[in-house]
Amino acid sequence: MSAFDQVIARCLPLIPRPIVRAVSRRYIAGEIFADAARVITSLNREGLLATVDVLGESVDRAELVGRAVGEYLEALDAIRRDDLRCNISVKPTQLGLMIDAALCLDSVRRLARAARDHGNFVRLDMEDSRCTGATLDLHRTLRAEGFGNLGVVLQACLRRSLDDVRDLPEGTSVRLCKGIYIEPRVIAYRERALINKNFVRLLGEMLDRGLYVGIATHDEEVVWEALQLIDRRRVPTEAYEFQMLLGVDQELRGMIRAAGHRLRVYVPYGSSWYAYSVRRLKENPRIAGYVVRSLLAPRRP
Ligand code: FDA
Protein backbone atom coordinates (compact mmCIF):
# COMPACT_ATOMS: atom_id res chain seq x y z
CA MET A 1 0.00 0.00 0.00
CA SER A 2 1.46 3.37 -0.94
CA ALA A 3 1.93 6.12 1.66
CA PHE A 4 -0.81 8.11 -0.09
CA ASP A 5 -3.28 5.20 0.23
CA GLN A 6 -2.33 4.73 3.90
CA VAL A 7 -3.07 8.37 4.65
CA ILE A 8 -6.43 8.18 2.86
CA ALA A 9 -7.35 4.96 4.73
CA ARG A 10 -6.56 6.54 8.13
CA CYS A 11 -8.60 9.64 7.33
CA LEU A 12 -11.73 7.73 6.25
CA PRO A 13 -13.61 7.94 9.57
CA LEU A 14 -13.10 11.72 9.51
CA ILE A 15 -14.66 12.20 6.09
CA PRO A 16 -18.17 13.71 6.45
CA ARG A 17 -21.11 11.63 5.22
CA PRO A 18 -22.10 14.06 2.42
CA ILE A 19 -18.60 13.75 0.95
CA VAL A 20 -18.72 9.94 1.06
CA ARG A 21 -22.14 10.26 -0.64
CA ALA A 22 -20.75 12.54 -3.34
CA VAL A 23 -17.85 10.16 -3.99
CA SER A 24 -20.05 7.07 -3.98
CA ARG A 25 -22.59 8.59 -6.41
CA ARG A 26 -20.38 7.62 -9.29
CA TYR A 27 -20.21 3.98 -8.17
CA ILE A 28 -23.71 3.47 -6.72
CA ALA A 29 -26.85 3.94 -8.82
CA GLY A 30 -29.00 5.33 -5.99
CA GLU A 31 -31.15 4.21 -3.09
CA ILE A 32 -34.11 2.51 -4.79
CA PHE A 33 -34.57 0.17 -7.75
CA ALA A 34 -36.00 2.97 -9.90
CA ASP A 35 -32.57 4.69 -9.67
CA ALA A 36 -30.85 1.48 -10.74
CA ALA A 37 -33.40 0.96 -13.54
CA ARG A 38 -32.55 4.38 -15.02
CA VAL A 39 -28.83 3.52 -15.04
CA ILE A 40 -29.45 0.04 -16.48
CA THR A 41 -31.72 1.42 -19.22
CA SER A 42 -29.03 3.83 -20.28
CA LEU A 43 -26.34 1.08 -20.21
CA ASN A 44 -28.60 -1.21 -22.27
CA ARG A 45 -29.02 1.61 -24.83
CA GLU A 46 -25.21 1.67 -25.17
CA GLY A 47 -25.28 -2.07 -25.91
CA LEU A 48 -24.07 -3.02 -22.42
CA LEU A 49 -25.52 -5.68 -20.14
CA ALA A 50 -25.94 -5.19 -16.39
CA THR A 51 -26.06 -7.09 -13.14
CA VAL A 52 -27.78 -5.45 -10.20
CA ASP A 53 -26.71 -5.69 -6.57
CA VAL A 54 -28.93 -4.67 -3.65
CA LEU A 55 -26.35 -3.29 -1.22
CA GLY A 56 -25.97 -5.19 2.03
CA GLU A 57 -23.80 -7.90 3.57
CA SER A 58 -22.94 -9.61 6.85
CA VAL A 59 -26.57 -9.62 7.91
CA ASP A 60 -27.12 -10.95 11.47
CA ARG A 61 -30.93 -11.03 11.74
CA ALA A 62 -33.30 -13.32 9.84
CA GLU A 63 -35.80 -10.50 9.22
CA LEU A 64 -33.13 -8.58 7.30
CA VAL A 65 -32.57 -11.66 5.15
CA GLY A 66 -36.30 -11.71 4.37
CA ARG A 67 -36.17 -8.03 3.43
CA ALA A 68 -33.22 -8.58 1.08
CA VAL A 69 -34.96 -11.52 -0.60
CA GLY A 70 -38.07 -9.34 -1.02
CA GLU A 71 -36.05 -6.55 -2.64
CA TYR A 72 -34.40 -8.94 -5.06
CA LEU A 73 -37.76 -10.52 -5.96
CA GLU A 74 -39.13 -7.04 -6.74
CA ALA A 75 -36.03 -6.28 -8.79
CA LEU A 76 -36.49 -9.51 -10.80
CA ASP A 77 -40.15 -8.56 -11.49
CA ALA A 78 -39.18 -5.06 -12.57
CA ILE A 79 -36.37 -6.37 -14.81
CA ARG A 80 -38.89 -8.57 -16.61
CA ARG A 81 -41.60 -5.89 -16.74
CA ASP A 82 -39.22 -3.27 -18.17
CA ASP A 83 -37.44 -5.78 -20.41
CA LEU A 84 -34.02 -4.86 -19.00
CA ARG A 85 -30.95 -6.84 -20.04
CA CYS A 86 -29.86 -7.43 -16.49
CA ASN A 87 -29.38 -10.28 -14.02
CA ILE A 88 -28.84 -10.16 -10.25
CA SER A 89 -25.73 -10.51 -8.08
CA VAL A 90 -26.26 -11.56 -4.46
CA LYS A 91 -24.00 -11.81 -1.42
CA PRO A 92 -24.49 -15.01 0.62
CA THR A 93 -23.88 -13.18 3.92
CA GLN A 94 -26.75 -10.83 3.01
CA LEU A 95 -28.91 -13.93 2.62
CA GLY A 96 -28.04 -15.39 6.01
CA LEU A 97 -24.82 -17.37 5.49
CA MET A 98 -23.47 -16.20 8.87
CA ILE A 99 -26.77 -16.90 10.67
CA ASP A 100 -27.83 -20.32 9.44
CA ALA A 101 -26.68 -22.27 6.36
CA ALA A 102 -30.19 -23.69 5.83
CA LEU A 103 -31.75 -20.20 5.84
CA CYS A 104 -29.19 -19.05 3.29
CA LEU A 105 -29.74 -22.09 1.06
CA ASP A 106 -33.49 -21.52 1.17
CA SER A 107 -33.12 -17.81 0.36
CA VAL A 108 -30.83 -18.43 -2.61
CA ARG A 109 -33.17 -21.19 -3.80
CA ARG A 110 -36.14 -18.77 -3.74
CA LEU A 111 -34.21 -16.26 -5.82
CA ALA A 112 -32.89 -18.89 -8.24
CA ARG A 113 -36.43 -20.24 -8.69
CA ALA A 114 -37.92 -16.78 -9.33
CA ALA A 115 -35.06 -15.96 -11.71
CA ARG A 116 -35.57 -19.25 -13.57
CA ASP A 117 -39.31 -18.53 -13.92
CA HIS A 118 -38.36 -15.14 -15.40
CA GLY A 119 -35.68 -16.62 -17.71
CA ASN A 120 -33.06 -14.82 -15.61
CA PHE A 121 -29.85 -15.64 -13.76
CA VAL A 122 -28.39 -15.28 -10.24
CA ARG A 123 -24.68 -14.71 -9.57
CA LEU A 124 -23.39 -15.59 -6.10
CA ASP A 125 -20.80 -12.90 -5.34
CA MET A 126 -17.73 -14.21 -3.51
CA GLU A 127 -16.94 -12.69 -0.13
CA ASP A 128 -13.92 -13.19 2.12
CA SER A 129 -12.15 -16.54 2.43
CA ARG A 130 -14.30 -17.66 5.41
CA CYS A 131 -17.21 -17.85 2.95
CA THR A 132 -15.50 -19.49 -0.05
CA GLY A 133 -16.22 -23.16 0.75
CA ALA A 134 -19.79 -22.50 1.93
CA THR A 135 -20.58 -20.39 -1.16
CA LEU A 136 -19.26 -23.06 -3.54
CA ASP A 137 -21.29 -25.67 -1.60
CA LEU A 138 -24.46 -23.57 -2.01
CA HIS A 139 -23.83 -23.46 -5.73
CA ARG A 140 -23.13 -27.19 -5.99
CA THR A 141 -26.24 -28.13 -3.99
CA LEU A 142 -28.57 -25.93 -6.00
CA ARG A 143 -27.09 -26.97 -9.32
CA ALA A 144 -27.70 -30.60 -8.33
CA GLU A 145 -31.34 -29.56 -7.74
CA GLY A 146 -31.46 -28.36 -11.36
CA PHE A 147 -30.73 -24.63 -11.00
CA GLY A 148 -28.51 -24.15 -14.03
CA ASN A 149 -29.19 -20.40 -13.81
CA LEU A 150 -26.92 -19.93 -10.79
CA GLY A 151 -23.28 -18.90 -11.16
CA VAL A 152 -20.31 -18.31 -8.87
CA VAL A 153 -17.23 -16.11 -8.59
CA LEU A 154 -13.61 -17.19 -8.15
CA GLN A 155 -10.85 -14.87 -6.97
CA ALA A 156 -7.43 -14.92 -8.61
CA CYS A 157 -5.77 -13.88 -5.35
CA LEU A 158 -6.75 -17.12 -3.60
CA ARG A 159 -4.29 -20.00 -3.71
CA ARG A 160 -7.17 -22.52 -3.71
CA SER A 161 -8.87 -21.13 -6.84
CA LEU A 162 -7.10 -23.46 -9.29
CA ASP A 163 -8.50 -26.50 -7.44
CA ASP A 164 -11.88 -24.78 -7.25
CA VAL A 165 -11.98 -24.27 -11.04
CA ARG A 166 -11.25 -27.96 -11.53
CA ASP A 167 -14.08 -28.89 -9.12
CA LEU A 168 -16.75 -26.66 -10.69
CA PRO A 169 -19.64 -28.64 -12.19
CA GLU A 170 -19.72 -28.89 -16.02
CA GLY A 171 -21.32 -25.89 -17.67
CA THR A 172 -20.92 -23.54 -14.69
CA SER A 173 -21.01 -19.81 -15.37
CA VAL A 174 -18.16 -18.29 -13.40
CA ARG A 175 -17.04 -14.71 -12.83
CA LEU A 176 -13.29 -14.38 -12.44
CA CYS A 177 -12.00 -11.36 -10.49
CA LYS A 178 -8.84 -10.54 -8.55
CA GLY A 179 -10.56 -10.52 -5.13
CA ILE A 180 -11.21 -7.44 -3.04
CA TYR A 181 -10.64 -8.77 0.50
CA ILE A 182 -7.34 -8.56 2.35
CA GLU A 183 -6.41 -12.17 3.20
CA PRO A 184 -3.50 -13.81 5.07
CA ARG A 185 -0.53 -14.77 2.90
CA VAL A 186 -1.03 -18.51 3.49
CA ILE A 187 -4.42 -18.20 1.82
CA ALA A 188 -3.83 -15.57 -0.83
CA TYR A 189 -1.20 -14.18 -3.18
CA ARG A 190 -0.39 -10.61 -2.34
CA GLU A 191 1.87 -9.49 -5.16
CA ARG A 192 -0.07 -7.75 -7.92
CA ALA A 193 2.12 -9.41 -10.60
CA LEU A 194 1.43 -12.87 -9.18
CA ILE A 195 -2.31 -12.22 -8.88
CA ASN A 196 -2.34 -11.10 -12.52
CA LYS A 197 -0.44 -14.24 -13.60
CA ASN A 198 -2.84 -16.41 -11.65
CA PHE A 199 -5.82 -14.57 -13.20
CA VAL A 200 -4.57 -15.49 -16.69
CA ARG A 201 -3.81 -19.06 -15.64
CA LEU A 202 -7.29 -19.53 -14.15
CA LEU A 203 -8.90 -17.98 -17.21
CA GLY A 204 -7.01 -20.46 -19.40
CA GLU A 205 -8.25 -23.36 -17.26
CA MET A 206 -11.82 -22.07 -17.39
CA LEU A 207 -11.75 -21.72 -21.17
CA ASP A 208 -10.16 -25.19 -21.49
CA ARG A 209 -13.04 -26.58 -19.44
CA GLY A 210 -15.59 -24.82 -21.67
CA LEU A 211 -17.02 -22.79 -18.77
CA TYR A 212 -18.83 -19.51 -19.46
CA VAL A 213 -16.52 -16.85 -18.00
CA GLY A 214 -17.25 -13.32 -16.83
CA ILE A 215 -13.85 -11.64 -17.02
CA ALA A 216 -14.20 -9.01 -14.28
CA THR A 217 -11.35 -6.52 -14.31
CA HIS A 218 -10.42 -2.93 -15.13
CA ASP A 219 -6.74 -3.80 -15.40
CA GLU A 220 -5.78 -3.17 -19.02
CA GLU A 221 -2.86 -5.59 -18.83
CA VAL A 222 -5.18 -8.41 -17.72
CA VAL A 223 -7.71 -7.41 -20.39
CA TRP A 224 -4.91 -7.59 -22.98
CA GLU A 225 -3.88 -11.08 -21.79
CA ALA A 226 -7.52 -12.21 -21.83
CA LEU A 227 -7.97 -10.97 -25.39
CA GLN A 228 -4.81 -12.86 -26.41
CA LEU A 229 -6.19 -16.10 -24.94
CA ILE A 230 -9.58 -15.58 -26.57
CA ASP A 231 -8.00 -14.85 -29.94
CA ARG A 232 -5.47 -17.71 -29.85
CA ARG A 233 -8.11 -20.25 -28.85
CA ARG A 234 -10.73 -18.78 -31.19
CA VAL A 235 -13.21 -18.65 -28.30
CA PRO A 236 -16.64 -17.65 -29.67
CA THR A 237 -18.04 -14.35 -28.33
CA GLU A 238 -21.00 -16.20 -26.77
CA ALA A 239 -18.63 -18.13 -24.45
CA TYR A 240 -17.46 -15.21 -22.31
CA GLU A 241 -18.17 -11.62 -21.32
CA PHE A 242 -16.16 -8.83 -19.76
CA GLN A 243 -17.48 -7.28 -16.56
CA MET A 244 -16.75 -3.92 -14.96
CA LEU A 245 -18.00 -1.94 -11.98
CA LEU A 246 -20.27 1.06 -12.50
CA GLY A 247 -18.28 4.28 -12.72
CA VAL A 248 -14.85 2.72 -13.29
CA ASP A 249 -12.79 3.38 -16.45
CA GLN A 250 -15.56 4.03 -18.94
CA GLU A 251 -12.97 4.61 -21.65
CA LEU A 252 -11.70 1.01 -21.36
CA ARG A 253 -15.32 -0.18 -21.18
CA GLY A 254 -16.10 1.62 -24.45
CA MET A 255 -13.04 0.16 -26.19
CA ILE A 256 -13.87 -3.42 -25.16
CA ARG A 257 -17.47 -3.02 -26.31
CA ALA A 258 -16.46 -1.34 -29.58
CA ALA A 259 -14.19 -4.33 -30.33
CA GLY A 260 -17.32 -6.52 -30.32
CA HIS A 261 -17.09 -8.22 -26.91
CA ARG A 262 -20.02 -8.56 -24.53
CA LEU A 263 -19.67 -6.36 -21.50
CA ARG A 264 -21.70 -6.37 -18.30
CA VAL A 265 -21.70 -3.53 -15.76
CA TYR A 266 -22.17 -4.24 -12.04
CA VAL A 267 -24.78 -1.78 -10.74
CA PRO A 268 -25.12 -1.54 -6.93
CA TYR A 269 -28.01 0.34 -5.33
CA GLY A 270 -29.70 0.50 -1.94
CA SER A 271 -30.10 2.36 1.29
CA SER A 272 -26.90 0.86 2.78
CA TRP A 273 -24.70 2.97 0.50
CA TYR A 274 -22.78 4.59 3.39
CA ALA A 275 -21.86 1.33 5.17
CA TYR A 276 -20.98 -0.24 1.80
CA SER A 277 -18.77 2.63 0.69
CA VAL A 278 -16.88 2.94 3.97
CA ARG A 279 -16.41 -0.81 4.35
CA ARG A 280 -15.11 -1.17 0.77
CA LEU A 281 -12.75 1.75 1.25
CA LYS A 282 -11.48 0.42 4.57
CA GLU A 283 -11.10 -3.12 3.29
CA ASN A 284 -9.05 -2.05 0.37
CA PRO A 285 -7.53 1.40 0.77
CA ARG A 286 -6.11 1.23 -2.76
CA ILE A 287 -9.68 1.86 -3.90
CA ALA A 288 -9.87 4.90 -1.65
CA GLY A 289 -6.69 6.03 -3.35
CA TYR A 290 -8.23 5.59 -6.84
CA VAL A 291 -11.32 7.50 -5.79
CA VAL A 292 -9.43 10.44 -4.33
CA ARG A 293 -7.00 10.51 -7.28
CA SER A 294 -9.93 10.54 -9.69
CA LEU A 295 -11.49 13.45 -7.78
CA LEU A 296 -8.23 15.37 -7.85
CA ALA A 297 -7.41 14.56 -11.46
CA PRO A 298 -8.43 17.24 -13.95
CA ARG A 299 -11.47 16.15 -15.95
CA ARG A 300 -11.04 15.69 -19.67
CA PRO A 301 -13.36 17.86 -21.79
P1 FDA B 1 -6.69 -3.32 -10.23
O1 FDA B 1 -7.08 -3.26 -8.80
O2 FDA B 1 -5.25 -3.49 -10.56
O3 FDA B 1 -7.26 -2.03 -10.92
C1 FDA B 1 -6.94 -1.69 -12.28
C2 FDA B 1 -7.31 -0.23 -12.47
O4 FDA B 1 -8.73 -0.08 -12.39
C3 FDA B 1 -6.76 0.66 -11.37
O5 FDA B 1 -5.52 1.18 -11.72
C4 FDA B 1 -7.81 1.72 -11.23
O6 FDA B 1 -7.55 2.76 -12.13
C5 FDA B 1 -9.08 1.07 -11.65
N1 FDA B 1 -9.95 0.63 -10.54
C6 FDA B 1 -10.09 -0.62 -10.08
N2 FDA B 1 -11.05 -0.69 -9.12
C7 FDA B 1 -11.51 0.58 -8.98
C8 FDA B 1 -12.50 1.17 -8.17
N3 FDA B 1 -13.26 0.47 -7.31
N4 FDA B 1 -12.70 2.51 -8.29
C9 FDA B 1 -11.99 3.25 -9.17
N5 FDA B 1 -11.05 2.74 -9.97
C10 FDA B 1 -10.80 1.43 -9.89
N6 FDA B 1 -14.32 -8.99 -5.72
C11 FDA B 1 -14.61 -9.98 -4.87
O7 FDA B 1 -13.82 -10.27 -3.99
N7 FDA B 1 -15.79 -10.68 -4.99
C12 FDA B 1 -16.69 -10.41 -5.98
O8 FDA B 1 -17.74 -11.08 -6.07
C13 FDA B 1 -16.38 -9.36 -6.89
N8 FDA B 1 -17.24 -9.03 -7.89
C14 FDA B 1 -16.83 -8.13 -8.86
C15 FDA B 1 -17.64 -7.90 -9.97
C16 FDA B 1 -17.20 -7.08 -10.99
C17 FDA B 1 -18.07 -6.86 -12.20
C18 FDA B 1 -15.92 -6.46 -10.90
C19 FDA B 1 -15.38 -5.63 -12.01
C20 FDA B 1 -15.14 -6.65 -9.78
C21 FDA B 1 -15.59 -7.46 -8.75
N9 FDA B 1 -14.83 -7.66 -7.61
C22 FDA B 1 -15.17 -8.65 -6.74
C23 FDA B 1 -13.69 -6.75 -7.30
C24 FDA B 1 -12.38 -7.30 -7.82
O9 FDA B 1 -12.02 -8.43 -7.07
C25 FDA B 1 -11.26 -6.24 -7.71
O10 FDA B 1 -11.09 -5.87 -6.38
C26 FDA B 1 -11.52 -4.98 -8.52
O11 FDA B 1 -12.12 -5.27 -9.74
C27 FDA B 1 -10.19 -4.26 -8.79
O12 FDA B 1 -9.34 -5.12 -9.51
P2 FDA B 1 -8.94 -4.92 -11.06
O13 FDA B 1 -8.94 -6.27 -11.70
O14 FDA B 1 -9.83 -3.94 -11.70
O15 FDA B 1 -7.43 -4.48 -11.02
Side-chain angles (χ1 to χ4, degrees):
M1 196 196 308
S2 74
F4 177 77
D5 292 337
Q6 281 180 38
V7 172
I8 298 294
R10 284 212 198 98
C11 292
L12 276 175
L14 307 174
I15 301 179
R17 210 176 152 95
I19 295 187
V20 177
R21 180 73 190 107
V23 168
S24 66
R25 215 181 288 278
R26 183 169 149 196
Y27 303 98
I28 296 172
E31 297 205 13
I32 55 172
F33 184 77
D35 299 325
R38 267 191 297 279
V39 171
I40 295 163
T41 303
S42 130
L43 291 167
N44 286 174
R45 281 204 193 108
E46 284 176 53
L48 301 166
L49 305 165
T51 184
V52 77
D53 165 52
V54 181
L55 291 172
E57 58 200 291
S58 305
V59 158
D60 56 5
R61 278 184 293 142
E63 79 232 42
L64 295 179
V65 174
R67 202 180 295 167
V69 170
E71 281 200 58
Y72 272 115
L73 291 174
E74 280 174 26
L76 282 167
D77 285 344
I79 288 169
R80 181 162 69 173
R81 188 193 59 227
D82 298 344
D83 208 13
L84 300 174
R85 299 179 72 201
C86 178
N87 59 37
I88 61 172
S89 287
V90 304
K91 292 202 167 40
T93 67
Q94 186 183 18
L95 298 178
L97 190 68
M98 295 306 194
I99 307 174
D100 173 12
L103 169 70
C104 186
L105 179 64
D106 187 53
S107 306
V108 178
R109 189 187 286 115
R110 282 179 67 196
L111 295 180
R113 186 174 292 125
R116 192 172 60 189
D117 293 348
H118 289 39
N120 210 328
F121 175 87
V122 180
R123 170 83 52 200
L124 289 172
D125 282 350
M126 189 56 84
E127 298 172 82
D128 67 64
S129 60
R130 291 168 304 168
C131 305
T132 312
T135 302
L136 293 173
D137 287 348
L138 273 176
H139 172 252
R140 200 168 294 114
T141 304
L142 290 170
R143 255 198 101 90
E145 289 180 18
F147 291 101
N149 64 327
L150 186 67
V152 280
V153 177
L154 291 183
Q155 297 155 325
C157 68
L158 291 195
R159 294 175 191 270
R160 59 175 285 170
S161 288
L162 189 60
D163 290 335
D164 289 334
V165 175
R166 292 172 177 163
D167 279 353
L168 286 177
E170 287 298 307
T172 296
S173 165
V174 56
R175 174 194 298 152
L176 176 60
C177 65
K178 289 191 185 180
I180 199 168
Y181 304 91
I182 306 288
E183 304 282 1
R185 184 174 169 213
V186 287
I187 292 180
Y189 303 110
R190 287 181 161 176
E191 290 295 315
R192 182 167 183 269
L194 208 45
I195 296 172
N196 283 9
K197 270 192 190 173
N198 201 40
F199 193 113
V200 178
R201 182 171 184 202
L202 293 169
L203 178 58
E205 286 278 329
M206 290 171 179
L207 295 175
D208 282 348
R209 287 208 50 204
L211 306 177
Y212 184 88
V213 193
I215 307 163
T217 183
H218 322 92
D219 185 332
E220 198 168 349
E221 192 183 313
V222 175
V223 170
W224 186 89
E225 293 279 2
L227 291 173
Q228 281 270 98
L229 277 182
I230 288 164
D231 183 49
R232 255 193 256 127
R233 292 167 195 225
R234 299 183 193 286
V235 184
T237 43
E238 317 78 65
Y240 65 90
E241 64 189 37
F242 284 88
Q243 298 188 352
M244 294 177 69
L245 301 173
L246 183 68
V248 179
D249 203 342
Q250 295 181 27
E251 198 167 36
L252 180 61
R253 186 170 99 183
M255 289 190 286
I256 294 173
R257 182 67 197 116
H261 308 284
R262 277 192 214 176
L263 197 145
R264 187 176 303 275
V265 179
Y266 188 100
V267 179
Y269 80 95
S271 51
S272 327
W273 59 268
Y274 182 78
Y276 171 85
S277 309
V278 170
R279 188 191 283 248
R280 282 289 90 77
L281 296 173
K282 274 192 187 152
E283 253 158 15
N284 196 343
R286 275 185 69 198
I287 293 177
Y290 300 146
V291 171
V292 175
R293 279 187 195 95
S294 74
L295 283 175
L296 297 177
R299 297 213 177 268
R300 295 231 252 134

